[in-house]
Amino acid sequence: MQLLKKVSKSQRNFLMRLLIGGTTLIVSLGAYYSYQVVRNAMLESLKKNAFLEVQQGGDDIEHWLAALKVYVETLANTATVKSMNWAIAEPYLKTEVLRFNDVYALAIAQSDGWRNVIGGSPANISDRPYFQKALAGHTNVSDPLISRATKIPTIVIAAPIRQTFDTTSSPIGEIHTLVRLDRIAQVVNSIKYGDNSYAFAINSTGEAIAHPNPAMLLALRNSAPKMVESSDRNLAAIAQRMINRQQGIELLFLDGTWKYVAYLPLTEADWSVALVIPRENLESPLQALDLIAVAIAGLAAAMIAVLWQVQAIEQGQLKKSNELLEQRVSERTAKLSTTLDQLQQSQLRLIQSEKMSALGSLVAGVAHEINNPVNFIFGNITHAHEYTQDLLKLLQLYQKHSLNPHSEIREQAAAIDMEFLTEDLPKVFDSMRMGVDRIREIVLSLRNFSRLDQAEVKPVDIHEGINSTLLILQHRFKATAHTEVQSIKKYGDLPLVECYPGQLNQVFMNILSNALDALEDQSDAAIQITTQQSNADHVRICITDNGMGMSQEVQQRIFDPFFTTKPVGKGTGMGMSISYQIVVEKHQGLIWCDSTIGRGTTFWVEIPVKRDSETAR
């Protein structure tokens, strides 16, 4: 009997130890799993922060290249350049070089490839890819090359020159500007993420455009070392992904240490930018969490050792300790989740502010640069028309009173078709006046859209902002694969609305851009914009497209940060999230979506006519 009691007691002790050890193990695994979840969430957030640094640097280069493209296209459409007469164009282009700091030379090439350049000798550039693309009708940015005129590393921005403003007509030549790589190197070198981090940029073939190591750069030779051929397999693999226009952030073993590499393709040129970050720079905020995990693991081990020795006394304390541990982990998890949400919101606000600032600066600069020459032309075209009429009247008097002009005069009159010239010249001036009026309308729409002088809340006409946005997107309405997208406006009678006009215009821009993306491959495409006063205190704007629509799952996530259905590299997933913040938080309004597969999508925006200043954020 005593032996049976001893055996029974031993079994109970074994079962008790097994229960205590198993319980402790389960709690420890739960804590470890929670630690891994929180750590991974924080690590993903830190990766996004690092990737945003690359995006910001890439945006700076994109804005700069876009401005240069607009500048070269503007020169290509001037009468002086269209004349293709280098003796006339050279003085004008010299003044442009002095006025524009980033440009150090301008050149005009005939359709056969012979080029004249400021400060250089004529040369044939028919073998240059940028010339071939321009003659095909495309404004383009070349890969860095050694300039034949200056013998220094250069990029070329080239645009076609057409005889008329018809963009479908064949170019008669091309104009290009030569730009040093200093600006690109300056932007790339400014991209940092802590000590010992550095950035670099490569072209379409994997050659370095900007790099902290001078040996990697294009010098007085035709090419630089290609990173895809590097002896470091990890670096070569990243360079190949960049050439394939992929984006992402990866942890790799480079130069004998672990480093994160964030890389992003550009859209204005066939280049990519990358940021190399030492692992400790990015993961240093996780050290506190790792210390907590180590402390928890040590505590669990100590508990197991103690419980196995004094199981009867420690059973109650073990239960309490486990409950307290789980409570602490839950509290920390909830706190970290809240912190992550706040960090994402802060990131979105910062990105919105930077984008709006960059967009406003670009629009203001373009509008200002266009407005000055347009006002000069507009102010003088009337006088030029009057002077021409006076000269034609004088010529008619000569014809009337000189019945037998000299034979040389008669031959010249026949050669220039005097009757046609007299009839067509006034029409030419009328066409020029219509073109100048159109440019002034576009400049006014750009200023209305950006609203740089209206950063605070003020009463505005909602229709004016919608019309400005439509005018800016007009090229996309006409650039679909099948046919022109029809815009249908059904405006109601709306009062002036107190709002942030620039930010509200950004909401319209995001919704209309998404609608145009959805209609890219569709015929009979249309977007309808309806406005009405829903009640005495609110106005409602409805934007509907007849695209393929969205599923319920997509509709539920449409306003989530970083959610996008677009291919990698085309969408950031922040446009609709930012639009939601602008409408709901900034204007105390509502925004919602209604979509059916195969029948299209409708976005509703409802905002108050007058804002409550006490609740405005």
Side-chain angles (χ1 to χ4, degrees), residues 198-250:
Y198 65 91
F200 64 88
I202 64 174
N203 63 11
S204 59
T205 62
E207 296 174 343
I209 301 172
H211 197 284
N213 183 2
M216 300 293 295
L217 298 176
L218 186 70
L220 294 178
R221 58 184 184 272
N222 292 326
S223 64
K226 293 184 178 181
M227 290 191 178
V228 289
E229 300 173 355
S230 172
S231 58
D232 190 325
R233 291 184 298 175
N234 289 332
L235 181 59
I238 286 293
Q240 187 61 55
R241 294 188 187 96
M242 294 170 70
I243 292 176
N244 295 338
R245 303 195 62 77
Q246 299 177 9
Q247 69 176 31
I249 181 168
E250 299 180 32

Side-chain angles (χ1 to χ4, degrees), residues 378-535:
F378 183 79
N380 287 281
I381 195 169
T382 301
H383 300 299
H385 183 262
E386 292 175 357
Y387 299 158
T388 305
Q389 290 297 316
D390 291 341
L391 291 174
L392 290 175
K393 289 178 182 179
L394 179 60
L395 183 58
Q396 291 171 357
L397 289 175
Y398 271 108
Q399 290 177 333
K400 179 179 178 182
H401 295 290
S402 181
L403 301 178
N404 188 22
H406 193 273
S407 60
E408 185 176 356
I409 296 176
R410 291 196 303 272
E411 291 174 0
Q412 181 64 21
I416 66 174
D417 195 353
M418 187 64 196
E419 292 182 3
F420 173 77
L421 187 148
T422 305
E423 179 184 354
D424 192 57
L425 187 58
K427 297 179 182 179
V428 172
F429 276 101
D430 291 338
S431 299
M432 292 171 64
R433 184 180 291 106
M434 291 175 61
V436 171
D437 288 339
R438 179 61 175 164
I439 295 174
R440 296 183 74 193
E441 290 176 3
I442 293 174
V443 171
L444 180 60
S445 297
L446 288 173
R447 294 185 63 188
N448 288 338
F449 175 78
S450 63
R451 299 279 188 173
L452 291 178
D453 54 346
Q454 300 178 14
E456 299 299 328
V457 175
K458 66 175 298 180
V460 297
D461 183 357
I462 294 295
H463 295 154
E464 183 180 316
I466 296 175
N467 290 335
S468 298
T469 306
L470 288 173
L471 184 59
I472 292 172
L473 291 173
Q474 187 177 20
H475 67 288
R476 293 202 57 194
F477 277 84
K478 297 180 179 179
T480 61
H482 297 280
T483 184
E484 179 176 333
V485 179
Q486 183 181 8
S487 62
I488 304 170
K489 294 186 284 189
K490 295 184 177 180
Y491 290 167
D493 187 11
L494 300 184
L496 296 180
V497 178
E498 292 184 356
C499 64
Y500 294 93
Q503 295 187 14
L504 200 58
N505 288 346
Q506 184 68 19
V507 175
F508 300 147
M509 175 69 77
N510 289 337
I511 296 175
L512 288 170
S513 295
N514 287 340
L516 289 168
D517 289 340
L519 297 172
E520 279 187 350
D521 299 324
Q522 180 171 325
S523 59
D524 299 326
I527 297 176
Q528 178 174 302
I529 305 171
T530 305
T531 63
Q532 62 182 7
Q533 190 164 358
S534 56
N535 54 50

Side-chain angles (χ1 to χ4, degrees), residues 38-281:
V38 174
R39 191 181 191 280
N40 290 337
M42 288 185 65
L43 183 58
E44 287 300 317
S45 178
L46 292 170
K47 287 181 179 179
K48 289 177 181 178
N49 286 342
F51 195 77
L52 286 176
E53 293 292 333
V54 183
Q55 284 183 320
Q56 183 176 359
D59 287 345
D60 290 342
I61 298 175
E62 297 274 35
H63 296 328
W64 178 63
L65 291 177
L68 286 174
K69 282 185 175 181
V70 171
Y71 172 71
V72 176
E73 288 177 338
T74 302
L75 290 179
N77 284 296
T78 61
T80 303
V81 174
K82 286 178 180 289
S83 70
M84 299 300 290
N85 188 331
W86 182 247
I88 297 174
E90 184 179 19
Y92 170 70
L93 296 181
K94 283 183 177 179
T95 60
E96 287 297 314
V97 170
L98 294 175
R99 188 177 66 86
F100 207 99
N101 293 333
D102 289 331
V103 174
Y104 76 89
L106 285 164
I108 295 177
Q110 304 289 335
S111 58
D112 60 0
W114 279 100
R115 175 202 69 183
N116 287 295
V117 62
I118 294 174
S121 302
N124 192 292
I125 59 169
S126 58
D127 61 327
R128 290 296 200 184
Y130 65 81
F131 170 81
Q132 298 167 0
K133 292 179 182 178
L135 261 291
H138 306 294
T139 301
N140 64 94
V141 180
S142 75
D143 280 342
L145 48 83
I146 298 297
S147 171
R148 291 171 178 168
T150 62
K151 307 302 181 183
I152 62 174
T154 301
I155 62 172
V156 176
I157 294 90
I161 302 173
R162 293 182 171 89
Q163 189 67 49
T164 66
F165 289 98
D166 182 7
T167 57
T168 62
S169 62
S170 298
I172 61 174
E174 66 93 76
I175 180 172
H176 62 264
T177 177
L178 305 179
V179 183
R180 296 184 180 89
L181 299 178
D182 300 346
R183 178 70 174 270
I184 300 172
Q186 180 182 1
V187 174
V188 172
N189 292 336
S190 68
I191 304 175
K192 297 288 185 180
Y193 198 93
D195 296 335
N196 300 320
S197 63
Y198 65 91
F200 64 88
I202 64 174
N203 63 11
S204 59
T205 62
E207 296 174 343
I209 301 172
H211 197 284
N213 183 2
M216 300 293 295
L217 298 176
L218 186 70
L220 294 178
R221 58 184 184 272
N222 292 326
S223 64
K226 293 184 178 181
M227 290 191 178
V228 289
E229 300 173 355
S230 172
S231 58
D232 190 325
R233 291 184 298 175
N234 289 332
L235 181 59
I238 286 293
Q240 187 61 55
R241 294 188 187 96
M242 294 170 70
I243 292 176
N244 295 338
R245 303 195 62 77
Q246 299 177 9
Q247 69 176 31
I249 181 168
E250 299 180 32
L251 179 62
L252 302 172
F253 194 76
L254 298 176
D255 301 327
T257 59
W258 287 98
K259 295 183 177 68
Y260 283 95
V261 181
Y263 49 95
L264 173 73
L266 303 181
T267 57
E268 294 294 341
D270 194 9
W271 306 340
S272 292
V273 180
L275 175 61
V276 180
I277 309 168
R279 183 176 185 177
E280 59 272 18
N281 289 14

